[in-house]
């Protein structure tokens, strides 16, 4: 994530230490705010392992807090170096005393302090306060790889992000219907992949032209079935792509009963042709919760740009609500979509961060 920036990284028990010059600290902190798998981070002062140095650093830290209007604090100490003359409790008491005698306007509140001054005695002594909450979750890459069906909507980027938070590496596939859909619509999906990818070590986006498939569905499928059949074709294509690029599952932004194609019966139809597991991390969330998450992720403002997606252009006015998988499969097979799907799969474009290749 740091790219060209030079940072010394040291890993010890329960802590990563990143040493960087002041000129890089803003970039480093920006990366940390997007790093899935850490519970938090803080800037720390490093000082010699003597009581005087530790207390004077604690006093400095307390002054900063007082200047920022903090009124109550406590000291939290950890000591992995047992050779240090004070134990954790002793450190807390003595450092607290030092702060109270040197900084006016601060009071100790053990149970509900406005801020905490942390002292850690390890191979060096570290003193810090404040700190930032990290994203939590599991590091991306430790839980296999999934292929996200990424539309231009609000839901699917959030779905990809949530799976990345469980440690999954994410690739994405998008189906467009140029010239029925605009180039801006495609650009918007690339942007969504970039924003989401900034949290998951990059997302490789495969873009397929589904115009032929959609036209065939429009011409030959019963109108009320069009969206469900299109979803089946998307799932089937995504599965083929996933198997080629070694993804273990598909990920979608579907949420139960959000729209007609996402009733439980229609979801059953949608996945009836494929064998790979379909992960739907938003299945039990309402739209408001999803929107909040999209705003936090930074995709919401892009998702609401008004370029029509391929699905909206071809959606029927009165879609089927409770499709039967048997009927769905019979209709699907009668459409002879496989050669059109294979054409789409053979002519994909790949976008990966800012790079662009065309096959
Ligand atoms: P979103 O669900 O992301 O807000 P949407 O509302 O346009 O987008 P839905 O109709 O809810 O899409 O589609 C359900 C799911 O199907 C999406 O979350 C996405 O995973 C997948 N999907 C829909 N359209 C496309 C597409 N053009 N390309 C890839 N996947 C798609
Ligand atoms: Mg949706």
């Amino acid at each position: 994530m740091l790219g060209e920036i030079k940072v010394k990284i040291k890993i010890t028990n329960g802590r990563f230490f990143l040493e960087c010059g002041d000129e890089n600290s803003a970039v480093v902190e920006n990366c940390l705010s997007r790093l899935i798998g850490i519970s938090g981070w803080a800037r720390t002062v490093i000082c010699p392992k003597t009581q005087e140095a530790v207390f004077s650093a604690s006093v400095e830290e307390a002054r900063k807090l007082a200047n920022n209007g903090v009124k109550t604090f406590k000291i939290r100490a950890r000591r992995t170096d047992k050779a240090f003359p004070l134990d954790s409790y002793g450190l807390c008491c003595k450092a607290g005393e030092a702060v109270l005698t040197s900084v006016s306007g601060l009071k100790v509140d053990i149970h509900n302090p406005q801020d905490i001054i942390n002292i850690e005695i390890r191979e060096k002594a570290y003193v810090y306060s404040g700190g930032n909450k990290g994203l939590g979750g599991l590091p991306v890459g430790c839980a296999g790889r999934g292929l996200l069906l990424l539309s231009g909507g609000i839901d699917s980027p959030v779905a990809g992000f949530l799976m990345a938070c469980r440690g999954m590496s994410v690739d994405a596939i998008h189906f467009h219907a140029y010239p029925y859909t605009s180039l801006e619509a495609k650009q918007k999906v690339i942007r969504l992949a970039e924003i989401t990818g900034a949290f998951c070590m990059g997302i490789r986006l495969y873009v397929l032209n589904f115009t032929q498939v959609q036209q065939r569905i429009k011409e030959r499928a019963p109108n009320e079935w069009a969206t469900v059949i299109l979803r089946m074709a998307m799932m089937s294509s995504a599965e083929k792509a996933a198997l080629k690029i070694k993804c273990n599952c598909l990920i979608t932004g579907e949420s139960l009963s959000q729209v007609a194609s996402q009733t439980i019966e229609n979801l059953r139809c949608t996945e009836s042709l494929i064998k790979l597991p379909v992960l739907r991390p938003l299945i039990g969330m309402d739209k408001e919760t999803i929107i909040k998450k999209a705003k936090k992720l930074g995709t919401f403002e892009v998702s609401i740009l008004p370029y029509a997606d391929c699905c909206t252009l071809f959606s029927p006015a009165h879609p089927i609500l409770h499709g039967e998988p048997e009927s769905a499969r019979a209709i699907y097979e009668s459409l002879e979509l496989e050669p059109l799907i294979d054409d789409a799969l053979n002519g994909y474009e790949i976008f990966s961060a800012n790079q662009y290749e065309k096959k």
Side-chain angles (χ1 to χ4, degrees), residues 155 253 258 262 287:
D155 305 330
Q258 186 189 77
Q262 291 167 37
K287 197 80 190 188

mmCIF file of all heavy atoms in Angstrom, residues 155 253 258 262 287, ligand 2:
data_model
loop_
_atom_site.group_PDB
_atom_site.id
_atom_site.type_symbol
_atom_site.label_atom_id
_atom_site.label_comp_id
_atom_site.label_asym_id
_atom_site.label_seq_id
_atom_site.Cartn_x
_atom_site.Cartn_y
_atom_site.Cartn_z
ATOM 1 N N ASP A 155 -24.813 -1.132 -3.754
ATOM 2 C CA ASP A 155 -24.624 -2.320 -2.910
ATOM 3 C C ASP A 155 -23.341 -3.111 -3.164
ATOM 4 O O ASP A 155 -22.645 -3.494 -2.224
ATOM 5 C CB ASP A 155 -25.813 -3.277 -3.098
ATOM 6 C CG ASP A 155 -27.144 -2.592 -2.834
ATOM 7 O OD1 ASP A 155 -27.171 -1.662 -2.017
ATOM 8 O OD2 ASP A 155 -28.141 -2.976 -3.458
ATOM 9 N N GLY A 253 -24.029 -8.138 -4.316
ATOM 10 C CA GLY A 253 -24.587 -7.147 -3.396
ATOM 11 C C GLY A 253 -26.071 -7.369 -3.171
ATOM 12 O O GLY A 253 -26.790 -6.436 -2.817
ATOM 13 N N GLN A 258 -34.970 -6.794 -1.687
ATOM 14 C CA GLN A 258 -34.709 -5.386 -2.001
ATOM 15 C C GLN A 258 -35.425 -4.989 -3.287
ATOM 16 O O GLN A 258 -35.989 -3.910 -3.401
ATOM 17 C CB GLN A 258 -33.198 -5.159 -2.149
ATOM 18 C CG GLN A 258 -32.819 -3.702 -2.326
ATOM 19 C CD GLN A 258 -31.356 -3.537 -2.697
ATOM 20 O OE1 GLN A 258 -30.980 -3.757 -3.849
ATOM 21 N NE2 GLN A 258 -30.545 -3.160 -1.732
ATOM 22 N N GLN A 262 -34.745 -10.208 -6.207
ATOM 23 C CA GLN A 262 -34.073 -10.700 -5.008
ATOM 24 C C GLN A 262 -35.035 -11.263 -3.958
ATOM 25 O O GLN A 262 -34.739 -11.282 -2.760
ATOM 26 C CB GLN A 262 -33.189 -9.591 -4.421
ATOM 27 C CG GLN A 262 -31.998 -9.320 -5.336
ATOM 28 C CD GLN A 262 -31.245 -8.047 -5.025
ATOM 29 O OE1 GLN A 262 -31.078 -7.686 -3.876
ATOM 30 N NE2 GLN A 262 -30.800 -7.355 -6.062
ATOM 31 N N LYS A 287 -31.561 -1.050 3.237
ATOM 32 C CA LYS A 287 -30.841 -0.126 2.356
ATOM 33 C C LYS A 287 -30.137 0.984 3.137
ATOM 34 O O LYS A 287 -29.029 1.386 2.782
ATOM 35 C CB LYS A 287 -31.812 0.462 1.321
ATOM 36 C CG LYS A 287 -31.139 1.104 0.130
ATOM 37 C CD LYS A 287 -30.678 0.093 -0.909
ATOM 38 C CE LYS A 287 -29.803 0.690 -1.985
ATOM 39 N NZ LYS A 287 -29.509 -0.225 -3.091
HETATM 40 MG MG1 LIG B 2 -29.056 -3.709 -5.296
#
